[in-house]
Amino acid sequence: MRLPVLIAGLLLCSANPAIAVEQSSSALVAQLTPKDSASQMEFFSRELDRAEQLYDNLMFEEADRIADLTIARINAFLSKNRGIEGVDEIEAVYSARVNQLRQLKAFKAVAREQMEREGAANYDQKRDTRERKLREQRKHQYRMAVEARRIAEAHATRWWSLWAGRSYSPILIFN
């Protein structure tokens, strides 16, 4: 009689730890990070770095495109892994990183506007110099045209009288 009770007790004891092990292993499986999470997170980091570099180089349209696409991918990644422990902390890191990008964009936008204003002021300041140089260039081009006409006249003097039937009389234009 003792033997059947002992066997029944062993079966019950061995059944309970198996259930406990199965429960804890399923809980551990649920808490394990996805296999490709490291590569995805590395990709997100590189893309956010790239967007940051583009904002730093004042290439806002391309940076916005990359940032928006990366944010959408991050959101999909986070929602897919919502049940895994630690996802809220990962989300907080990405939220801080995106906020940093937004602040960099705002900072660089103001810097770009200031550069444009300074460039316009510099352009306006040098207008007199540009106009003077253009006036001198036109004057030089006119002098060169006058000189070219005189050279052509000197070469054609002999032939002019034969072809036109009279001698060449130059037209003088004074400034």
Side-chain angles (χ1 to χ4, degrees):
M1 186 124 167
R2 287 181 147 206
L3 188 60
V5 173
L6 185 61
I7 293 173
L10 286 174
L11 286 174
L12 285 176
C13 287
S14 67
N16 286 339
I19 291 172
V21 170
E22 286 178 16
Q23 289 174 350
S24 65
S25 69
S26 66
L28 287 176
V29 170
Q31 296 303 317
L32 292 177
T33 60
K35 291 179 184 177
D36 61 343
S37 66
S39 65
Q40 285 181 320
M41 292 173 73
E42 182 63 31
F43 173 77
F44 299 151
S45 180
R46 280 194 317 269
E47 288 298 295
L48 291 173
D49 288 345
R50 186 171 154 213
E52 186 175 343
Q53 185 64 40
L54 289 168
Y55 281 132
D56 199 41
N57 293 334
L58 305 177
M59 299 173 73
F60 293 111
E61 293 79 17
E62 182 68 12
D64 287 341
R65 186 186 67 77
I66 290 170
D68 291 342
L69 189 58
T70 305
I71 290 168
R73 287 177 176 158
I74 290 170
N75 288 336
F77 173 77
L78 292 173
S79 65
K80 178 181 171 184
N81 299 305
R82 185 55 58 193
I84 299 175
E85 187 177 355
V87 74
D88 293 334
E89 287 78 9
I90 300 297
E91 184 177 15
V93 170
Y94 283 127
S95 294
R97 185 78 192 270
V98 168
N99 186 41
Q100 176 188 344
L101 276 178
R102 288 188 179 127
Q103 295 301 320
L104 178 64
K105 179 183 178 183
F107 170 70
K108 289 296 183 171
V110 170
R112 183 165 119 179
E113 289 173 11
Q114 183 179 359
M115 273 183 9
E116 288 172 353
R117 282 194 306 271
E118 289 172 357
N122 189 27
Y123 182 81
D124 290 343
Q125 187 179 37
K126 294 185 178 185
R127 182 183 326 186
D128 292 337
T129 304
R130 279 192 317 278
E131 289 175 357
R132 180 180 48 77
K133 286 182 179 181
L134 285 173
R135 194 171 42 253
E136 289 173 359
Q137 183 181 11
R138 285 190 299 270
K139 188 174 182 180
H140 175 72
Q141 289 171 341
Y142 174 73
R143 285 182 182 159
M144 294 306 294
V146 168
E147 188 62 31
R149 180 190 54 95
R150 287 183 182 159
I151 292 170
E153 287 172 354
H155 287 281
T157 304
R158 180 176 132 210
W159 296 103
W160 193 270
S161 59
L162 292 174
W163 285 41
R166 60 177 178 80
S167 65
Y168 180 76
S169 57
I171 300 171
L172 300 175
I173 301 174
F174 297 100
N175 283 346

